[in-house]
Structures are given as C-alpha cells and as structure tokens.
Amino acid sequence: MTEHVLITGGAGFIGTRLARRLVGAGHTVTVLDALIPQVHGEDPVETSPLLKSLDGIAEVIHGTVTSSADLRKALTNATVVVHLAAETGTGQSMYEIDRYVEANVGGTAKLLDVLTNETHSVKRIVVASSRSIYGEGAYETREGQIVYPPHRADEAMARGDFRVLDVDGQELRLIPTDENAKLHPSSVYGITKQMQESLVMTVGPTIGVEPVSLRYQNVYGPGQSLKNPYTGILSIFSTLIRQGKGINIFEDGLESRDFVYIDDIVEATFLASVVPAAAGEVFNVGSGVATTVLEVVDALQKAYGVEVPVTISGQYRLGDIRHNIADTTKLRDILGFTPAVTFSDGVRNFAEWVLTEPIEGDMYEKSLQEMADRKLLK
C-alpha cells in the first residue's frame, strides 16, 4: 500500500536517506525541517548538501515542530509520521536545558496535540528514540544476575576509576540491553528522548494511531555533519585527523559504544514505517557490537593513512555512560531485519566519503570549553 510519509527533521543525515528509500519504494514524502545553522549552515538553500539531496524527492517545508501551524501544514495528506526532529547533543543538553526540552518534548507534545484535536489521515507514528534512555544499560554480576547499575560517581571518576561496579565494589560485565531493560537516563538529552517515546507510545493508541519507537544506538556514515561538534566522535575525530591535530581521549579510552551504520538505520526505520507487525512495538536498532574509543581512533587513522598525537587524558564528562550495546533480537524476530554492516566496512565507507568533503572549521574545542566553564567536563 502506498503511504504519504511526513518526516520531521527530514532534511538531516537520517531523514534525507530515509526519504530516498521511501520514494524508491513508491511512497510519497513530505519533509518538515527547521534547517538550523548548527546542522545546515547559515544559508541552507545554498550550502546544505543534505537539503539539496531532497530536490525532486520530497516536498520540503521550512518550519519547526514547536509550531502548531507548521505541523498542520506538514501533516496535510500524511498517513505515516516519522518523527526524527530533535536536538541531539548529549553534552550540550546539560546546559541548554530549555532548548532541548522545548524542541524534543514540546515539539512532540505539539505534534500529538494536533493529531488528537484536529482532523488528519495519520495511521502510524514512528518516533526516533535513543539508547540514551537506558543510561548504562544491562550488566551481569559474577553470579550471573542481570543488573542495571546507577550512574558512575563523580568522585570515583575523579580518581581515575571509570569502571561500572556493583554495590560490593566488584566490576560488572557488560551484556546486550534488551527493550525490557530499566530506563534511567543520565543526561537531559536522554530524559527528553524517554519523554518523547513515552508520549508517543501512550497517546498514539488513544487516538487510533499506531505508535512505533526505535531506540537508535550511535549512528554514523556518509552524509553525517562534519562541522557539528555534537554529531559523534567519528566525525569529530575525522576532522581533527585531517587537520593534523592531536586527539584527546577521555577517561581511559576503553569506554565503548554500539556504532550502527546509516544504511542499517534507514532500513530499520523504513520497515518500522510500513510493516504491519511493527505497530505498537519498541525496537533497539544497533549492531550489537561494542567498540571502544581507542579502537575508533585506530580504525580512523588507518582509514586515512595518517597518524596524529593521541593523548589519553583521563578527563570525563558528567552525563556520559561507560558502555551500552543493543540486543537486536526483537528487530530480527518481528521485522525480519538484522543490521549487517560491520564497523570495519562502515568506517572504510565513511572515510572514503569524508575525503571528498572540504575540511570544516573546528568547533569542537569551543564545545568542550562551554562544558568546562560549567564544570561538566573535568
């Protein structure tokens, strides 16, 4: 069945690729995007390759999810909404709290308010949630008990102890986190994503709209912003390497993330938008593999054929987690999809694309200074 899909935040890294995937499958796409300078530059029509990639693919409405009027316009004829619009910087969220809550929670509330109180044709809403809502996620004790540890203490990290410990001081073993895990986010960003998901999953069924939530892990790949300092370490480190600058690794470099390639994210989101069995479900979307920061730096330097000074500084950011990897069993069992792009293949593809792009101005140091000024980076 042909759908008319509204993608909020659809001119971004994920949304533009999703739009092409949907149109290629015969669906119609409308994009609503605020085109913020942090992502698209000061003159998006002229400078944003992501925006240009939507030419002939989708109707683009320049507007915001915090405006009911913009939402009403964008929802015209829509049968499915993929709600990607959000502020996304974990560190930045800890000091731009009002901005993050207004965009992520307020924007979602406005979207649901319009769907609740006005005539529309929407049958399904897919919300981009995040692994950040788990906090540290799932671990296992020596005895094999699954636990969800609290956030690490500032005092311990100040001593250089970055491990995740149980109440008896024993180090816990990381295991994949499934969708039934405890939700206890450690950042304002994580809190807003949990609220986004809760709003959609709670309100949707009451108004006859099928809700679906996708808990994305750390997304990367060609098309990712190379100038936004909150977009992820692969982009940040790539820019530093190309500039010949040193890389400062926080903690001990053994902190890890589940990096999932953009093509896998897009395919999972496409399936969540159109497959009937997805209705009412929550899915993790990740690779299920933990990759440490040290491994990221090594892979990038090999991909670019460049070595730069690497310092393991022991600095840390409040609100950061130590580890998290996704259990993607449910994604496989219900949607028949398992993310397949390995980190080594993904990094190679990413680096090949990066080398075709101009070297962007480095705003990373400025972002770190903003956190340090507020005693969030230590």
Side-chain angles (χ1 to χ4, degrees):
M1 182 176 178
T2 300
E3 306 290 355
H4 186 137
V5 183
L6 166 63
I7 309 176
T8 70
F13 169 46
I14 298 172
T16 50
R17 285 185 173 239
L18 177 61
R20 292 196 293 275
R21 177 69 176 91
L22 286 161
V23 170
H27 304 289
T28 301
V29 174
T30 298
V31 162
L32 174 67
D33 202 292
L35 302 176
I36 63 172
Q38 184 169 296
V39 176
H40 295 280
E42 295 296 336
D43 186 7
V45 173
E46 297 297 327
T47 62
S48 175
L50 290 173
L51 181 60
K52 289 180 184 295
S53 73
L54 292 172
D55 289 350
I57 297 293
E59 176 190 5
V60 178
I61 297 172
H62 185 185
T64 172
V65 291
T66 59
S67 164
S68 297
D70 290 344
L71 284 166
R72 288 188 194 99
K73 181 179 179 182
L75 284 165
T76 302
N77 298 322
T79 57
V80 175
V81 176
V82 178
H83 186 36
L84 301 179
E87 299 288 354
T88 58
T90 300
Q92 189 181 49
S93 77
M94 299 297 286
Y95 58 90
E96 295 203 20
I97 299 165
D98 182 59
R99 173 184 166 191
Y100 273 70
V101 172
E102 180 183 13
N104 298 0
V105 181
T108 304
K110 275 193 167 54
L111 171 60
L112 292 170
D113 194 80
V114 171
L115 293 177
T116 299
N117 294 297
E118 303 184 23
T119 301
H120 62 82
S121 52
V122 174
K123 301 176 297 183
R124 175 174 294 188
I125 178 169
V126 180
V127 61
S129 185
S130 167
R131 58 91 186 158
S132 64
I133 70 176
Y134 293 122
E136 283 291 347
Y139 287 76
E140 192 174 63
T141 67
R142 287 182 177 179
E143 295 72 33
Q145 179 185 5
I146 297 175
V147 295
Y148 304 100
H151 314 312
R152 294 174 294 164
D154 188 2
E155 296 79 5
M157 292 192 288
R159 297 193 305 268
D161 187 352
F162 304 111
R163 299 173 298 162
V164 179
L165 308 175
D166 66 14
V167 293
D168 297 320
Q170 299 296 323
E171 187 168 7
L172 295 166
R173 185 177 73 87
L174 176 68
I175 62 173
T177 299
D178 67 22
E179 291 86 352
N180 295 317
K182 178 181 178 179
L183 306 183
H184 60 143
S186 60
S187 66
V188 172
Y189 170 68
I191 292 168
T192 66
K193 297 307 284 187
Q194 182 182 357
M195 293 181 72
Q196 274 191 306
E197 177 182 303
S198 297
L199 284 166
V200 169
M201 300 305 292
T202 300
V203 174
T206 72
I207 59 173
V209 174
E210 299 170 344
V212 185
S213 180
L214 301 178
R215 295 173 179 170
Y216 294 157
Q217 292 278 336
N218 292 64
V219 189
Y220 74 100
Q224 191 168 21
S225 175
L226 298 174
K227 59 179 177 289
N228 181 356
Y230 306 102
T231 193
I233 62 171
L234 274 89
S235 289
I236 292 166
F237 289 169
S238 291
T239 297
L240 292 173
I241 290 170
R242 295 183 73 198
Q243 292 174 332
K245 294 183 177 180
I247 295 175
N248 173 21
I249 296 179
F250 293 163
E251 300 191 17
D252 57 6
L254 299 179
E255 63 274 26
S256 67
R257 297 293 184 268
D258 182 334
F259 294 97
V260 56
Y261 192 66
I262 181 62
D263 290 356
D264 285 331
I265 285 287
V266 167
E267 190 61 23
T269 308
F270 170 78
L271 294 171
S273 303
V274 300
V275 172
E281 300 290 350
V282 175
F283 299 98
N284 286 330
V285 188
S287 69
V289 177
T291 303
T292 69
V293 174
L294 284 173
E295 289 171 333
V296 169
V297 173
D298 182 62
L300 287 172
Q301 292 193 108
K302 288 177 179 176
Y304 295 120
V306 175
E307 290 190 8
V308 297
V310 176
T311 302
I312 302 174
S313 67
Q315 287 184 286
Y316 58 95
R317 297 186 304 183
L318 297 180
D320 271 357
I321 63 167
R322 179 67 168 171
H323 304 294
N324 192 249
I325 55 174
D327 182 330
T328 60
T329 303
K330 189 175 178 182
L331 186 69
R332 180 197 65 210
D333 289 350
I334 295 179
L335 296 186
F337 178 69
T338 300
V341 180
T342 65
F343 185 69
S344 58
D345 287 344
V347 166
R348 183 177 62 252
N349 295 341
F350 175 65
E352 288 174 355
W353 168 77
V354 168
L355 290 172
T356 68
E357 296 295 302
I359 299 176
E360 298 284 356
D362 184 12
M363 297 179 62
Y364 181 53
E365 291 300 326
K366 179 177 181 291
S367 72
L368 295 183
Q369 189 59 52
E370 289 176 351
M371 293 198 71
D373 290 344
R374 295 163 175 84
K375 296 182 170 51
L376 295 168
L377 172 64
K378 300 188 176 185

